[in-house]
Amino acid sequence: GAVVSQHPSWVICKSGTSVKIECRSLDFQATTMFWYRQFPKQSLMLMATSNEGSKATYEQGVEKDKFLINHASLTLSTLTVTSAHPEDSSFYICSARGGQGAVFYGYTFGSGTRLTVV
Amino acid sequence: AQKVTQAQTEISVVEKEDVTLDCVYETRDTTYYLFWYKQPPSGELVFLIRRNSFDEQNEISGRYSWNFQKSTSSFNFTITASQVVDSAVYFCALSEFGNEKLTFGTGTRLTIIP
Protein backbone atom coordinates (compact mmCIF):
# COMPACT_ATOMS: atom_id res chain seq x y z
CA GLY A 1 0.00 0.00 0.00
CA ALA A 2 0.91 3.66 -0.26
CA VAL A 3 3.12 5.09 2.46
CA VAL A 4 3.97 8.70 3.14
CA SER A 5 6.88 9.39 5.44
CA GLN A 6 6.94 12.71 7.25
CA HIS A 7 9.90 14.05 9.23
CA PRO A 8 10.56 15.16 11.80
CA SER A 9 7.81 13.87 14.08
CA TRP A 10 8.35 16.73 16.42
CA VAL A 11 10.59 19.76 16.55
CA ILE A 12 11.26 22.52 19.02
CA CYS A 13 12.85 25.66 17.72
CA LYS A 14 13.65 29.14 18.91
CA SER A 15 11.57 32.08 17.82
CA GLY A 16 12.95 33.64 14.67
CA THR A 17 14.50 30.51 13.25
CA SER A 18 13.28 28.49 10.28
CA VAL A 19 12.12 24.90 10.32
CA LYS A 20 11.85 22.49 7.41
CA ILE A 21 9.41 19.60 7.36
CA GLU A 22 9.78 16.84 4.78
CA CYS A 23 7.13 14.65 3.28
CA ARG A 24 8.11 11.69 1.10
CA SER A 25 6.02 9.22 -0.81
CA LEU A 26 7.87 5.95 -0.42
CA ASP A 27 6.30 3.65 -2.97
CA PHE A 28 4.41 5.83 -5.37
CA GLN A 29 4.76 9.05 -7.29
CA ALA A 30 2.97 11.90 -5.60
CA THR A 31 1.74 14.22 -8.29
CA THR A 32 -0.08 16.33 -5.74
CA MET A 33 0.84 17.11 -2.16
CA PHE A 34 -1.31 18.85 0.42
CA TRP A 35 -0.19 20.55 3.61
CA TYR A 36 -2.53 20.87 6.56
CA ARG A 37 -2.29 22.59 9.89
CA GLN A 38 -4.12 21.48 12.99
CA PHE A 39 -4.39 23.44 16.21
CA PRO A 40 -5.17 21.55 19.44
CA LYS A 41 -8.68 20.14 19.49
CA GLN A 42 -9.44 21.57 16.09
CA SER A 43 -9.89 20.22 12.61
CA LEU A 44 -7.36 20.01 9.81
CA MET A 45 -7.13 23.20 7.80
CA LEU A 46 -5.69 23.03 4.32
CA MET A 47 -2.78 25.41 3.93
CA ALA A 48 -1.70 24.75 0.37
CA THR A 49 -1.75 22.37 -2.55
CA SER A 50 1.32 21.69 -4.63
CA ASN A 51 1.80 19.87 -7.88
CA GLU A 52 5.20 18.53 -8.80
CA GLY A 53 7.29 21.08 -10.61
CA SER A 54 4.94 24.02 -10.16
CA LYS A 55 4.29 26.63 -7.53
CA ALA A 56 2.05 25.81 -4.65
CA THR A 57 -1.47 27.18 -4.44
CA TYR A 58 -2.11 28.65 -1.03
CA GLU A 59 -5.43 28.89 0.72
CA GLN A 60 -6.79 32.27 1.61
CA GLY A 61 -5.16 33.69 4.70
CA VAL A 62 -2.02 31.57 4.50
CA GLU A 63 1.16 33.62 4.15
CA LYS A 64 3.09 32.19 1.24
CA ASP A 65 6.28 33.98 2.27
CA LYS A 66 6.11 32.47 5.71
CA PHE A 67 5.19 28.93 4.72
CA LEU A 68 7.42 28.00 1.81
CA ILE A 69 6.41 24.87 -0.02
CA ASN A 70 8.63 23.06 -2.46
CA HIS A 71 7.56 20.07 -4.53
CA ALA A 72 10.59 19.60 -6.72
CA SER A 73 10.25 15.88 -7.27
CA LEU A 74 7.50 13.32 -7.51
CA THR A 75 8.42 11.84 -4.17
CA LEU A 76 9.33 14.80 -2.02
CA SER A 77 7.63 17.93 -0.79
CA THR A 78 8.92 20.25 1.89
CA LEU A 79 7.28 22.87 4.05
CA THR A 80 9.57 25.50 5.53
CA VAL A 81 8.23 27.69 8.30
CA THR A 82 10.35 30.81 8.07
CA SER A 83 11.06 33.07 11.01
CA ALA A 84 8.88 30.95 13.22
CA HIS A 85 7.02 32.49 16.13
CA PRO A 86 5.12 30.91 19.02
CA GLU A 87 1.81 31.35 17.20
CA ASP A 88 3.14 29.03 14.49
CA SER A 89 3.26 26.20 17.01
CA SER A 90 0.92 23.58 15.66
CA PHE A 91 0.59 20.11 14.22
CA TYR A 92 1.44 20.00 10.51
CA ILE A 93 0.33 17.08 8.34
CA CYS A 94 1.07 16.34 4.72
CA SER A 95 -1.00 14.29 2.35
CA ALA A 96 -0.13 12.91 -1.07
CA ARG A 97 -2.08 11.77 -4.10
CA GLY A 98 -0.56 9.90 -6.99
CA GLY A 99 0.12 6.49 -8.35
CA GLN A 100 2.53 3.81 -9.33
CA GLY A 101 1.96 2.04 -12.61
CA ALA A 102 -1.74 1.38 -13.04
CA VAL A 103 -2.51 1.89 -9.38
CA PHE A 104 -3.77 5.25 -8.19
CA TYR A 105 -3.57 6.15 -4.54
CA GLY A 106 -5.91 8.65 -3.04
CA TYR A 107 -5.18 10.74 -0.03
CA THR A 108 -2.33 9.18 1.91
CA PHE A 109 -1.34 11.07 5.03
CA GLY A 110 1.98 11.45 6.75
CA SER A 111 2.22 10.91 10.49
CA GLY A 112 2.43 14.62 11.21
CA THR A 113 4.96 17.01 12.72
CA ARG A 114 4.41 18.72 16.01
CA LEU A 115 6.13 22.09 15.93
CA THR A 116 6.76 24.03 19.12
CA VAL A 117 8.29 27.47 18.86
CA VAL A 118 9.76 28.83 22.10
CA ALA B 1 -18.75 25.10 -2.02
CA GLN B 2 -18.21 21.94 -0.07
CA LYS B 3 -18.85 21.69 3.63
CA VAL B 4 -18.87 18.96 6.24
CA THR B 5 -20.65 19.24 9.58
CA GLN B 6 -20.04 17.01 12.55
CA ALA B 7 -22.41 18.36 15.16
CA GLN B 8 -21.19 16.10 17.94
CA THR B 9 -18.08 17.64 19.44
CA GLU B 10 -17.53 15.02 22.11
CA ILE B 11 -19.14 11.71 22.92
CA SER B 12 -18.49 9.40 25.85
CA VAL B 13 -19.88 5.92 26.10
CA VAL B 14 -19.22 2.96 28.31
CA GLU B 15 -17.27 0.12 26.78
CA LYS B 16 -19.35 -2.38 24.80
CA GLU B 17 -22.02 0.16 24.03
CA ASP B 18 -22.79 1.03 20.43
CA VAL B 19 -22.13 4.58 19.28
CA THR B 20 -23.01 6.51 16.13
CA LEU B 21 -21.06 9.48 14.86
CA ASP B 22 -22.99 11.84 12.64
CA CYS B 23 -21.77 13.51 9.47
CA VAL B 24 -23.75 15.87 7.26
CA TYR B 25 -22.28 17.26 4.08
CA GLU B 26 -23.03 19.93 1.52
CA THR B 27 -21.97 19.90 -2.10
CA ARG B 28 -23.29 21.11 -5.43
CA ASP B 29 -21.62 18.30 -7.33
CA THR B 30 -23.35 15.10 -8.24
CA THR B 31 -20.06 13.22 -8.11
CA TYR B 32 -18.19 13.34 -4.87
CA TYR B 33 -16.39 11.20 -2.34
CA LEU B 34 -16.89 10.84 1.38
CA PHE B 35 -14.32 9.65 3.86
CA TRP B 36 -13.94 8.78 7.51
CA TYR B 37 -10.61 9.03 9.31
CA LYS B 38 -9.58 8.15 12.84
CA GLN B 39 -7.01 10.26 14.66
CA PRO B 40 -5.68 8.60 17.82
CA PRO B 41 -3.75 10.63 20.41
CA SER B 42 -0.51 10.01 18.52
CA GLY B 43 -1.84 12.26 15.77
CA GLU B 44 -1.60 10.24 12.60
CA LEU B 45 -4.69 9.96 10.46
CA VAL B 46 -5.95 6.45 9.94
CA PHE B 47 -8.08 5.92 6.85
CA LEU B 48 -11.31 4.06 7.56
CA ILE B 49 -13.47 4.27 4.46
CA ARG B 50 -14.06 6.03 1.17
CA ARG B 51 -17.47 6.09 -0.48
CA ASN B 52 -18.39 7.60 -3.82
CA SER B 53 -21.68 9.36 -4.38
CA PHE B 54 -23.04 6.70 -6.67
CA ASP B 55 -22.71 3.93 -4.16
CA GLU B 56 -25.35 4.23 -1.48
CA GLN B 57 -24.96 0.74 -0.17
CA ASN B 58 -24.23 0.61 3.50
CA GLU B 59 -20.96 -0.98 4.44
CA ILE B 60 -19.89 -3.10 7.35
CA SER B 61 -16.32 -3.85 8.34
CA GLY B 62 -16.07 -5.80 11.54
CA ARG B 63 -17.47 -3.63 14.31
CA TYR B 64 -17.66 -0.61 12.02
CA SER B 65 -20.56 0.24 9.78
CA TRP B 66 -21.45 3.22 7.66
CA ASN B 67 -24.87 4.51 6.62
CA PHE B 68 -24.82 6.71 3.52
CA GLN B 69 -28.08 8.50 2.74
CA LYS B 70 -28.05 10.97 -0.13
CA SER B 71 -31.60 12.07 0.65
CA THR B 72 -30.42 13.59 3.92
CA SER B 73 -26.81 14.26 2.82
CA SER B 74 -25.55 12.17 5.67
CA PHE B 75 -22.78 9.64 6.06
CA ASN B 76 -22.98 8.31 9.59
CA PHE B 77 -20.53 5.97 11.25
CA THR B 78 -21.47 3.39 13.84
CA ILE B 79 -19.15 1.46 16.11
CA THR B 80 -20.72 -1.65 17.59
CA ALA B 81 -19.58 -3.05 20.92
CA SER B 82 -17.15 -0.20 21.46
CA GLN B 83 -13.71 -0.80 22.91
CA VAL B 84 -11.27 1.45 24.73
CA VAL B 85 -9.00 1.38 21.67
CA ASP B 86 -11.74 3.12 19.75
CA SER B 87 -11.10 6.28 21.75
CA ALA B 88 -9.92 8.88 19.26
CA VAL B 89 -11.05 11.85 17.23
CA TYR B 90 -13.00 10.88 14.16
CA PHE B 91 -13.17 13.07 11.10
CA CYS B 92 -15.60 12.96 8.23
CA ALA B 93 -14.33 14.48 4.97
CA LEU B 94 -15.55 15.29 1.48
CA SER B 95 -13.95 15.83 -1.90
CA GLU B 96 -15.73 16.79 -5.09
CA PHE B 97 -14.92 15.22 -8.41
CA GLY B 98 -12.47 17.44 -10.24
CA ASN B 99 -11.52 19.28 -7.07
CA GLU B 100 -8.61 17.70 -5.29
CA LYS B 101 -9.24 19.47 -2.02
CA LEU B 102 -10.36 17.35 0.88
CA THR B 103 -12.63 19.24 3.26
CA PHE B 104 -12.76 17.98 6.82
CA GLY B 105 -15.48 18.27 9.39
CA THR B 106 -14.61 19.60 12.82
CA GLY B 107 -14.26 16.11 14.22
CA THR B 108 -15.91 14.17 17.02
CA ARG B 109 -13.87 13.22 20.06
CA LEU B 110 -14.96 9.77 21.16
CA THR B 111 -14.08 8.51 24.60
CA ILE B 112 -14.79 4.92 25.54
CA ILE B 113 -15.03 4.50 29.29
CA PRO B 114 -13.76 1.15 30.59
Side-chain angles (χ1 to χ4, degrees), chain A residues 49-88:
Chain A
T49 303
S50 72
N51 292 297
E52 183 265 339
S54 59
K55 289 184 179 179
T57 301
Y58 290 80
E59 294 299 299
Q60 191 172 9
V62 177
E63 299 176 61
K64 55 184 70 175
D65 293 332
K66 181 166 190 62
F67 299 100
L68 301 179
I69 292 172
N70 184 288
H71 190 172
S73 79
L74 283 172
T75 59
L76 174 65
S77 177
T78 60
L79 166 67
T80 301
V81 183
T82 62
S83 187
H85 290 287
E87 57 265 31
D88 298 323

Side-chain angles (χ1 to χ4, degrees), chain A residues 31-32 34 36 38 41-44 46 49 51 59 91 93 95 97 106-112 114, chain B residues 10 35 37 39 41-45 47 50 89 91 95-96 99-107 109:
Chain A
T31 49
T32 307
F34 306 88
Y36 294 86
Q38 185 181 31
K41 296 192 175 183
Q42 292 190 24
S43 187
L44 285 79
L46 180 65
T49 303
N51 292 297
E59 294 299 299
F91 190 62
I93 310 176
S95 174
R97 293 188 81 200
Y107 304 95
T108 303
F109 286 84
S111 54
R114 195 165 302 280
Chain B
E10 297 190 25
F35 303 78
Y37 290 90
Q39 187 177 42
S42 54
E44 81 274 18
L45 281 176
F47 168 81
R50 182 185 101 151
V89 180
F91 290 98
S95 72
E96 296 170 337
N99 182 352
E100 292 184 301
K101 295 181 184 180
L102 188 59
T103 299
F104 286 85
T106 49
R109 183 174 300 275

Side-chain angles (χ1 to χ4, degrees), chain B residues 25-97:
Chain B
Y25 62 92
E26 294 178 30
T27 177
R28 294 176 184 169
D29 269 16
T30 56
T31 304
Y32 51 90
Y33 305 91
L34 295 163
F35 303 78
W36 274 96
Y37 290 90
K38 174 183 180 180
Q39 187 177 42
S42 54
E44 81 274 18
L45 281 176
V46 178
F47 168 81
L48 297 178
I49 190 171
R50 182 185 101 151
R51 174 69 66 199
N52 74 58
S53 54
F54 297 109
D55 184 1
E56 281 195 78
Q57 280 195 342
N58 292 330
E59 179 152 343
I60 298 175
S61 177
R63 296 184 297 107
Y64 296 169
S65 63
W66 291 269
N67 185 338
F68 177 27
Q69 293 204 353
K70 290 177 75 171
S71 60
T72 55
S73 298
S74 65
F75 187 43
N76 297 337
F77 173 35
T78 297
I79 300 175
T80 304
S82 60
Q83 300 176 2
V84 172
V85 293
D86 296 327
S87 295
V89 180
Y90 291 85
F91 290 98
C92 181
L94 164 74
S95 72
E96 296 170 337
F97 180 76

Side-chain angles (χ1 to χ4, degrees), chain A residues 15-31:
Chain A
S15 187
T17 61
S18 296
V19 173
K20 180 183 284 189
I21 301 170
E22 289 191 353
C23 185
R24 291 179 185 273
S25 57
L26 298 186
D27 46 7
F28 67 102
Q29 295 182 327
T31 49

